[in-house]
Amino acid sequence: MNLSRREFAKIGCRIVIGATAGTAMIESIATNGIAAENSPKGDYNWKEHYWGYLIDTRKCIGCGRCANACKLENNVPFDEPVYRTWVERYRIVNKGREENVTIDSPNGGINGFTDDIPAEQIKKAFYVPKICNHCENPPCVQVCPVGATYSTEDGVVLVDYNYCIGCRYCIQGCPYGARYFNTEKGTADKCTWCYHRITKGLQPACVEACPVGARVFGDLKDPESPVNKILDKERINVLKPDLGTKPKVYYVGLDREVR
Amino acid sequence: MESLIWGYIYPNEAEIQWSILIVLYPYITGLVAGAFIASSLYHVFGKKEIKPVARFALLTALSFLLVATLPLVTHLGHPERGIEIMFTPHLTSAMSGFGYIYSFYLIVVVLEIWLSFREDIVKMALNSRGWKELLYSGLALFSYDISEKALHDDEKFAKKLAIIGIPSAAFLHGYVGFIFGGIKANPWWSTPLMPLIFLMSAIVSGIALLILLYLASMKLRKHAIDHKCLHSLAHYLWIFLILDVTLELLEVISMKYESLEEIEIINRLLSDKIATTFYGVQLGLGIFVPFVLLLLVGIMKNRETLKMIMISISSVLVVIGVFAMRWNVVIGGQEISKSLSGTLTYVPVFFSQEGVLPAIIILVIPFIILFVITRILPPWKDMEEKV
């Protein structure tokens, strides 16, 4: 077969283009295939679950064991002011006719709380545990410029540490102060609801550590789950509902002072 | 540390996330947008009196544009992954457009400069020898057609380009405002006015910088100042100052008037944390004083030297005032807790990746770039013919 230089070049180009397109197609099918099965390994199927979290502020005693357990479980540095969960104390003091609210969370409540206001001055006091709300409409996911933070099929908001560029826009975007900058990883970081545990059928570390059952975790798709049992009968609120983030951490007994 | 905190802040808020480098970012892009818009007063709107600085304004815009990404990339936890914003942009994020908007605008500015300087470049290529010939021939893209028709086509295309350039300059900077204005978590940032406020303050800072650089260049080159041009720039500066202050006051007044949940913490921010930089520097020194001085310049007859001094003082104050405005937005917004119950204080560090030193270095680089480019592409030809 005699080919002119021009024809040879033409055929050559077609082969290269064809091969590239073919490879790209195979690659895209392969990656799509992986995306569909991105669910954690093992028997766990993330399409079968949708997780929710409930906090009964009336039960919390401010012992801080949850915040401590979280740092231990998730290797959150103890010597830095960063927390995946923390406990806030609210004390409402009467000063004449005026009411005064004092809020604190020393070291995230890990070491408990000390009495620095005489008990007789305190009109009302309570503890409020805080944690990432794993919002249905998460502003942190919305603002991430590279898609490194994302919502999973089972309703958990996670950070891809291998992808995050460390711009910290998500930290600015979270209305709840639930995110922090992990100086070791150079990325944003936050509560995962102990994703490595819940996908194995375990409870998050903070829920397991709570001695009074103030923290409840469960599957919203399962009508018999402990979270649904409480949601069915109690009056529920969420934090900053007006921001439209649709939190999935539900509160029982939330005071108007809590933001 | 504790004494820097008042009231209750969320425990994770103890560290300020966006430092002085992120103050620089909107400051620099603002100067770029402002300088470009000043040049388009001539290129698009045909304001002949601006002609002496029109090309210089473009070079100024480019010099600052080239460093605009530096503060951002330096600030990243993973600078090496920064490019992912171009490859895998997450389009719901206001920030994800940055790479594209920036690149597009860079192309527009470079093209605009090339077209405005093409005649000079070709002439220099033809009239020089050795490495200079090579440099200018390269810049001319080895095309030496400077016939009247070719130059006319250049001018027509340059005008069209500048028309695209204005919305892109406005977009580049208005968009930076949206990065802050779109954050509902932060009551000091979250306002639809933010892009417009950013844009107006960008224009005033750009014009003021241009005035200062123009005066400095003329002094250095021992050339006469074109007072008509200077007064025209001062006039535009005055007009944009009015628009700027209107929007800035509107934002604060409506916040105070509506008095929503966050008003107590906003009041504390304004009366305590940023009182000096907001009322004193941003509004007082940065807007009110220049407004009065420029008004007097407009009224006064003759006395060119005095007017020049007044315009210079106004421009210095505006450039400082707009920096204060960026500071008050970026740092101020982070000094209030999202718990709305407390405040914290940003203490700048000098030597660190996000410290004052890198900020100073980044702010000096554009002046060096400008010095070099004006050597390669002298923008003053029009003036020299006149003098």
Side-chain angles (χ1 to χ4, degrees):
Chain A
M1 192 164 73
N2 268 339
L3 287 175
S4 72
R5 216 164 30 171
R6 195 186 171 85
E7 279 168 321
F8 178 76
K10 244 189 199 169
I11 293 170
C13 281
R14 277 187 200 151
I15 292 171
V16 172
I17 291 169
T20 319
T23 323
M25 215 187 289
I26 292 164
E27 219 162 36
S28 85
I29 292 166
T31 40
N32 281 345
I34 291 166
E37 291 163 10
N38 249 345
S39 187
K41 301 254 155 50
D43 302 332
Y44 184 80
N45 182 353
W46 67 359
K47 287 193 182 341
E48 287 170 4
H49 307 278
Y50 199 70
W51 301 109
Y53 198 110
L54 186 132
I55 293 171
D56 191 338
T57 59
R58 301 168 307 185
K59 290 183 179 170
C60 180
I61 52 169
C63 66
R65 289 178 60 173
C66 48
N68 191 51
C70 172
K71 282 212 171 189
L72 286 170
E73 175 71 27
N74 296 296
N75 284 322
V76 182
F78 272 88
D79 50 354
E80 284 177 44
V82 293
Y83 306 86
R84 292 186 177 199
T85 185
W86 65 96
V87 181
E88 294 171 353
R89 172 172 64 174
Y90 289 73
R91 285 173 295 176
I92 294 158
V93 177
N94 260 344
K95 277 187 180 163
R97 278 177 57 209
E98 265 188 44
E99 255 185 13
N100 214 328
V101 187
T102 306
I103 314 166
D104 62 352
S105 180
N107 193 21
I110 287 178
N111 318 102
F113 295 83
T114 47
D115 296 331
D116 47 359
I117 298 177
E120 58 274 16
Q121 284 179 22
I122 299 171
K123 188 168 91 173
K124 183 163 79 172
F126 50 88
Y127 297 101
V128 180
K130 292 276 186 81
I131 190 168
C132 169
N133 286 286
H134 294 271
C135 307
E136 215 178 302
N137 183 17
C140 54
V141 172
Q142 181 189 32
V143 300
C144 176
V146 294
T149 189
Y150 57 99
S151 299
T152 62
E153 288 276 326
D154 43 359
V156 181
V157 176
L158 297 177
V159 180
D160 184 339
Y161 305 113
N162 296 320
Y163 213 76
C164 171
I165 62 173
C167 71
R168 289 164 252 187
Y169 201 17
C170 57
I171 303 178
Q172 306 289 3
C174 173
Y176 307 103
R179 286 178 166 253
Y180 59 90
F181 189 67
N182 185 322
T183 43
E184 204 178 296
K185 289 185 181 132
T187 67
D189 212 341
K190 68 183 277 296
C191 155
T192 63
W193 274 349
C194 285
Y195 202 64
H196 57 291
R197 290 173 60 90
I198 61 173
T199 50
K200 294 189 186 82
L202 300 168
Q203 294 277 299
C206 53
V207 174
E208 203 164 274
C210 179
V212 291
R215 291 170 177 254
V216 186
F217 181 79
D219 190 348
L220 298 174
K221 278 190 176 168
D222 171 13
E224 295 302 310
S225 80
V227 171
N228 272 334
K229 288 270 185 214
I230 302 170
L231 287 178
D232 285 349
K233 63 170 199 270
E234 291 289 351
R235 285 152 204 222
I236 302 294
N237 207 342
V238 292
L239 292 170
K240 303 187 180 181
D242 49 324
L243 292 183
T245 53
K246 299 190 181 164
K248 291 200 298 294
V249 172
Y250 307 100
Y251 281 90
V252 179
L254 201 61
D255 192 85
R256 62 176 173 171
E257 298 293 348
V258 182
R259 289 194 195 96
Chain B
M1 190 78 199
E2 286 296 317
S3 62
L4 300 172
I5 296 170
W6 170 87
Y8 174 67
I9 65 167
Y10 291 134
N12 284 330
E13 289 179 319
E15 300 275 351
I16 293 261
Q17 299 296 336
W18 284 355
S19 63
I20 187 163
L21 288 183
I22 306 300
V23 177
L24 270 196
Y25 158 58
Y27 188 57
I28 289 175
T29 56
L31 294 171
V32 173
F36 186 86
I37 285 170
S39 96
S40 56
L41 286 173
Y42 167 70
H43 285 119
V44 180
F45 300 105
K47 302 287 173 202
K48 286 269 185 306
E49 58 276 19
I50 306 286
K51 193 176 178 188
V53 292
R55 299 204 302 179
F56 183 55
L58 284 176
L59 297 184
T60 308
L62 179 66
S63 308
F64 280 85
L65 192 58
L66 288 175
V67 300
T69 52
L70 274 184
L72 293 183
V73 175
T74 315
H75 152 88
L76 291 182
H78 280 280
E80 80 284 1
R81 294 180 191 165
I83 197 70
E84 292 296 347
I85 218 167
M86 302 277 287
F87 293 151
T88 58
H90 183 237
L91 296 175
T92 61
S93 167
M95 205 181 265
S96 69
F98 174 76
Y100 294 105
I101 298 169
Y102 175 84
S103 312
F104 178 74
Y105 188 62
L106 185 64
I107 293 168
V108 170
V109 172
V110 168
L111 267 181
E112 187 78 21
I113 289 176
W114 188 70
L115 289 168
S116 336
F117 282 90
R118 208 177 68 83
E119 188 186 353
D120 301 27
I121 295 172
V122 170
K123 281 180 183 164
M124 282 189 275
L126 296 175
N127 296 329
S128 48
R129 288 285 162 267
W131 67 269
K132 255 185 153 181
E133 185 188 359
L134 198 68
L135 170 72
Y136 286 109
S137 301
L139 285 176
L141 304 179
F142 303 98
S143 141
Y144 305 100
D145 181 4
I146 46 168
S147 63
E148 208 161 290
K149 187 187 168 295
L151 290 181
H152 183 68
D153 288 348
D154 279 4
E155 203 175 308
K156 262 185 18 199
F157 187 59
K159 186 172 176 178
K160 277 185 194 150
L161 202 63
I163 292 173
I164 303 172
I166 297 173
S168 19
F171 197 62
L172 175 78
H173 201 67
Y175 149 84
V176 178
F178 188 78
I179 286 185
F180 295 95
I183 292 298
K184 62 185 170 189
N186 191 317
W188 182 235
W189 289 348
S190 175
T191 156
L193 285 179
M194 200 59 100
L196 289 171
I197 293 176
F198 264 58
L199 192 55
M200 289 309 138
S201 51
I203 295 174
V204 296
S205 69
I207 298 177
L209 176 76
L210 189 61
I211 290 175
L212 292 174
L213 285 173
Y214 172 64
L215 291 174
S217 313
M218 291 301 103
K219 281 269 175 278
L220 282 175
R221 298 172 64 245
K222 300 196 172 64
H223 269 266
I225 286 156
D226 184 330
H227 287 283
K228 216 174 150 200
C229 172
L230 184 65
H231 290 171
S232 178
L233 285 174
H235 177 70
Y236 287 112
L237 180 57
W238 188 72
I239 291 175
F240 282 110
L241 268 180
I242 296 173
L243 292 172
D244 187 29
V245 75
T246 307
L247 292 170
E248 281 177 19
L249 286 178
L250 184 60
E251 188 208 340
V252 176
I253 290 169
S254 54
M255 261 186 198
K256 286 191 178 250
Y257 193 81
E258 289 185 358
S259 285
L260 297 175
E261 188 187 18
E262 61 266 18
I263 192 61
E264 280 177 37
I265 202 72
I266 296 285
N267 280 339
R268 183 167 274 272
L269 176 73
L270 286 171
S271 63
D272 177 29
K273 304 307 291 184
I274 59 170
T276 322
T277 49
F278 186 77
Y279 294 113
V281 187
Q282 181 183 337
L283 293 180
L285 289 176
I287 293 179
F288 181 72
V289 177
F291 172 81
V292 173
L293 285 177
L294 293 173
L295 184 67
L296 291 175
V297 167
I299 295 169
M300 279 187 336
K301 295 252 152 49
N302 303 319
R303 297 192 165 192
E304 297 301 343
T305 317
L306 179 63
K307 281 202 232 172
M308 191 187 75
I309 293 170
M310 284 161 75
I311 294 174
S312 314
I313 295 172
S314 304
S315 301
V316 170
L317 289 176
V318 166
V319 168
I320 295 170
V322 172
F323 185 81
M325 180 266 175
R326 310 292 188 226
W327 178 279
N328 291 333
V329 171
V330 178
I331 302 298
Q334 297 177 84
E335 286 190 330
I336 53 170
S337 167
K338 289 179 226 163
S339 69
L340 307 181
S341 307
T343 61
L344 64 159
T345 305
Y346 169 58
V347 184
V349 193
F350 195 81
F351 298 102
S352 86
Q353 191 191 332
E354 292 196 41
V356 179
L357 184 66
I360 293 173
I361 293 171
I362 289 172
L363 206 49
V364 168
I365 297 172
F367 293 98
I368 299 171
I369 298 177
L370 183 63
F371 181 77
V372 174
I373 314 186
T374 48
R375 290 288 140 132
I376 301 170
L377 300 174
W380 312 111
K381 188 199 65 168
D382 307 323
M383 285 209 60
E384 276 160 12
E385 281 168 358
K386 215 187 283 173
V387 174

